Amino acid sequence: MKKRILIFHDKESLKPIGGPCGYLNSLNEGLNQIKQDEIVVDFLPYVNNHHFRNNRKRAINNIFFNCLKPIYRALKHYKFIWNILNTQSSISIDLCQYDLIHFHSTLDLYKTRSQLKKYSGQVILTSHSPEPLSMEIIENGYKFEKSIFYFTYKKLIEMDRFAFNRADYIIFPCSTADEPYLNKWSEYKDIKCKKINGFRYLLTGTISAKVISKRNTIRNKYSIPLNAFVICYVGRHNKIKGFERLKEIGKIILDKYPNVYFLIGGTEFPYKGLKHDRWIEVGWTNEPHSLTNASDIFLLPNLETYFDLILLEVLSIGTPIIASNTGGNKYFKNENGIRLFESIEDCLYILDEIINFSNAQREEMRVSNIHLYQSNFIPEIFAKNYINLIKTLI
């Protein structure tokens, strides 16, 4: 009899972005490529909530409402957290028909806790957050709301506590990906010690990044000389992603090298970029990988990290990478096309070295990265490894 597993995420929302949506989009692509008939893999039925999101966007963009936006956002944020703590989901499918349920956020597992009381199969948790999800949710709020709603927000850690304790198996991409949990959540070490036999490791895979515009097209668009050295960053402009550290590095490099440019993708919130002619903020873009392809280095300065999908996407393009020596980044410490740094000074030293590389040396790094991606991180390999792991659990 075939084994059945439920991936607790709706299939219609899968898309090539970060987090569970991007992870599962690549996994689903891989599952469609491989031939296996031992395990039936289902996703949740689609739930349409686009109407709410669109109405909310229109409300926020209302000219009058802009004055009240911080208060509105704070109240919506509080309501979201209150709902996590005080309501539970009720999905319309029978969980007991599945041998295994794979959750991809502690929030989903926590919200399903009542329905899991009658479930006797295996529960898997993969937490995609770069830190405990409760902390990430709270950090997205305003400082004033954290003070006003302090006691409510303090309770949110119960979401992570319950999820990690309830899961029979916990899957991380590699053994260092949970560093942010060890560093920021005092209880996690005890949970891990207690459940150490339930930890498993599965390398993430990803669909090859799509480059829409050619290298020279992007450089011309943003008035970057074709012979300039370009350092790229694409992502959130916040603390945990290391954006302030990126700006410190940028100030020094821009002063030192007149032919170096920084090409930055992502919304300027909550931090703004540098005010400099050669620091180019593109903002949100639907072709982030075109920026990466037009660059000579991709800089990933995270203070803490899980196992960044964008690193794998950059590998597929081949652009050399400089990344902080933290979390899942540590998996790549011995790769030719990737350099890891411990401090700003260390990063500056590596940048100096690569800026002065010959074209042949940089090309060697590119070829190495593409080979690394194709050998380890394509969707087909990802899906095969996933199915093989699941077989050991059911």
Side-chain angles (χ1 to χ4, degrees), residues 99-100 122 124 169 171 200 388-394:
D99 300 283
L100 181 150
Q122 303 295 327
I124 298 180
Y169 296 99
I171 297 178
R200 298 291 187 274
N388 288 336
L389 175 58
I390 294 300
K391 287 178 183 177
T392 69
L393 306 181
I394 53 178

Side-chain angles (χ1 to χ4, degrees), residues 23-81:
Y23 178 97
L24 292 171
N25 185 57
S26 297
L27 178 59
N28 184 56
E29 177 71 19
L31 290 171
N32 290 334
Q33 292 175 12
I34 65 173
K35 293 182 179 180
Q36 67 86 26
D37 55 8
E38 298 172 71
I39 297 175
V40 176
V41 180
D42 289 338
F43 286 79
L44 284 177
Y46 178 57
V47 178
N48 188 349
N49 60 1
H50 293 295
H51 178 71
F52 166 75
R53 287 204 296 267
N54 289 339
N55 283 345
R56 180 183 172 189
K57 184 176 181 181
R58 283 196 292 270
I60 290 176
N61 288 336
N62 182 279
I63 296 173
F64 170 76
F65 208 82
N66 281 341
C67 301
L68 301 176
K69 191 182 292 185
I71 297 173
Y72 174 82
R73 283 181 170 172
L75 291 174
K76 294 294 290 187
H77 196 221
Y78 168 77
K79 183 180 178 182
F80 173 66
I81 292 174

Side-chain angles (χ1 to χ4, degrees), residues 1 20 32 58 113 162 185 216 236 270 274 301 377:
M1 185 175 178
N32 290 334
R58 283 196 292 270
R113 60 193 182 277
F162 175 86
W185 183 20
N216 289 358
R236 296 180 187 175
L274 290 179
F377 301 109

Side-chain angles (χ1 to χ4, degrees), residues 143-180:
K143 189 174 182 179
F144 73 84
E145 72 174 274
K146 295 174 192 175
S147 299
I148 296 171
F149 305 126
Y150 173 79
F151 291 105
T152 299
Y153 286 14
K154 187 178 180 181
K155 296 176 185 177
L156 193 58
I157 193 65
E158 174 59 25
M159 174 183 73
D160 293 310
R161 184 186 297 123
F162 175 86
F164 275 93
N165 279 300
R166 176 60 182 85
D168 298 294
Y169 296 99
I170 298 163
I171 297 178
F172 278 99
C174 63
S175 61
T176 57
D178 65 348
E179 260 190 13

Side-chain angles (χ1 to χ4, degrees), residues 37-312:
D37 55 8
E38 298 172 71
I39 297 175
V40 176
V41 180
D42 289 338
F43 286 79
L44 284 177
Y46 178 57
V47 178
N48 188 349
N49 60 1
H50 293 295
H51 178 71
F52 166 75
R53 287 204 296 267
N54 289 339
N55 283 345
R56 180 183 172 189
K57 184 176 181 181
R58 283 196 292 270
I60 290 176
N61 288 336
N62 182 279
I63 296 173
F64 170 76
F65 208 82
N66 281 341
C67 301
L68 301 176
K69 191 182 292 185
I71 297 173
Y72 174 82
R73 283 181 170 172
L75 291 174
K76 294 294 290 187
H77 196 221
Y78 168 77
K79 183 180 178 182
F80 173 66
I81 292 174
W82 189 93
N83 283 337
I84 293 173
L85 294 169
N86 295 282
T87 63
Q88 298 189 41
S89 62
S90 180
I91 58 173
S92 59
I93 59 175
D94 178 17
L95 297 181
C96 294
Q97 66 182 297
Y98 293 101
D99 300 283
L100 181 150
I101 303 174
H102 192 169
F103 288 90
H104 286 270
S105 80
T106 56
L107 189 157
D108 284 340
L109 204 163
Y110 183 66
K111 296 277 282 185
T112 317
R113 60 193 182 277
S114 288
Q115 289 173 278
L116 288 174
K117 288 178 181 178
K118 298 179 181 179
Y119 178 71
S120 59
Q122 303 295 327
V123 173
I124 298 180
L125 172 65
T126 296
S127 175
H128 295 266
S129 175
E131 59 185 327
L133 183 58
S134 58
M135 297 181 185
E136 184 180 20
I137 289 172
I138 291 169
E139 285 175 6
N140 284 335
Y142 291 99
K143 189 174 182 179
F144 73 84
E145 72 174 274
K146 295 174 192 175
S147 299
I148 296 171
F149 305 126
Y150 173 79
F151 291 105
T152 299
Y153 286 14
K154 187 178 180 181
K155 296 176 185 177
L156 193 58
I157 193 65
E158 174 59 25
M159 174 183 73
D160 293 310
R161 184 186 297 123
F162 175 86
F164 275 93
N165 279 300
R166 176 60 182 85
D168 298 294
Y169 296 99
I170 298 163
I171 297 178
F172 278 99
C174 63
S175 61
T176 57
D178 65 348
E179 260 190 13
Y181 296 78
L182 288 165
N183 293 340
K184 303 192 74 171
W185 183 20
S186 59
E187 295 177 59
Y188 179 75
K189 184 177 180 180
D190 292 334
I191 293 173
K192 186 173 184 178
C193 287
K194 183 174 70 175
K195 301 182 73 70
I196 192 64
N197 292 330
F199 274 70
R200 298 291 187 274
Y201 300 101
L202 172 73
L203 280 178
T204 306
T206 189
I207 297 169
S208 179
K210 185 178 181 181
V211 175
I212 299 172
S213 299
K214 294 181 179 179
R215 178 182 177 93
N216 289 358
T217 302
I218 291 294
R219 291 199 173 209
N220 289 331
K221 180 177 180 179
Y222 295 107
S223 301
I224 300 173
L226 299 184
N227 65 344
F229 188 93
V230 179
I231 299 168
C232 183
Y233 170 84
V234 176
R236 296 180 187 175
H237 292 31
N238 64 15
K239 183 177 181 180
I240 198 166
K241 290 294 185 180
F243 193 75
E244 289 291 87
R245 179 156 64 177
L246 177 68
K247 287 165 66 175
E248 289 184 50
I249 293 166
K251 288 177 186 176
I252 296 169
I253 291 294
L254 290 170
D255 283 345
K256 186 173 183 178
Y257 295 100
N259 199 37
V260 170
Y261 286 70
F262 280 77
L263 187 57
I264 312 296
T267 304
E268 285 188 85
F269 180 84
Y271 298 150
K272 298 284 188 181
L274 290 179
K275 298 297 182 184
H276 193 288
D277 290 344
R278 288 181 282 117
W279 179 284
I280 300 165
E281 287 282 348
V282 174
W284 184 89
T285 173
N286 62 356
E287 50 175 317
H289 304 305
S290 297
L291 304 184
T292 303
N293 185 59
S295 304
D296 299 285
I297 282 288
F298 188 88
L299 185 51
L300 202 59
N302 317 62
L303 299 182
E304 302 271 11
T305 193
Y306 174 74
F307 198 83
D308 231 323
L309 278 178
I310 197 164
L311 189 152
L312 304 184

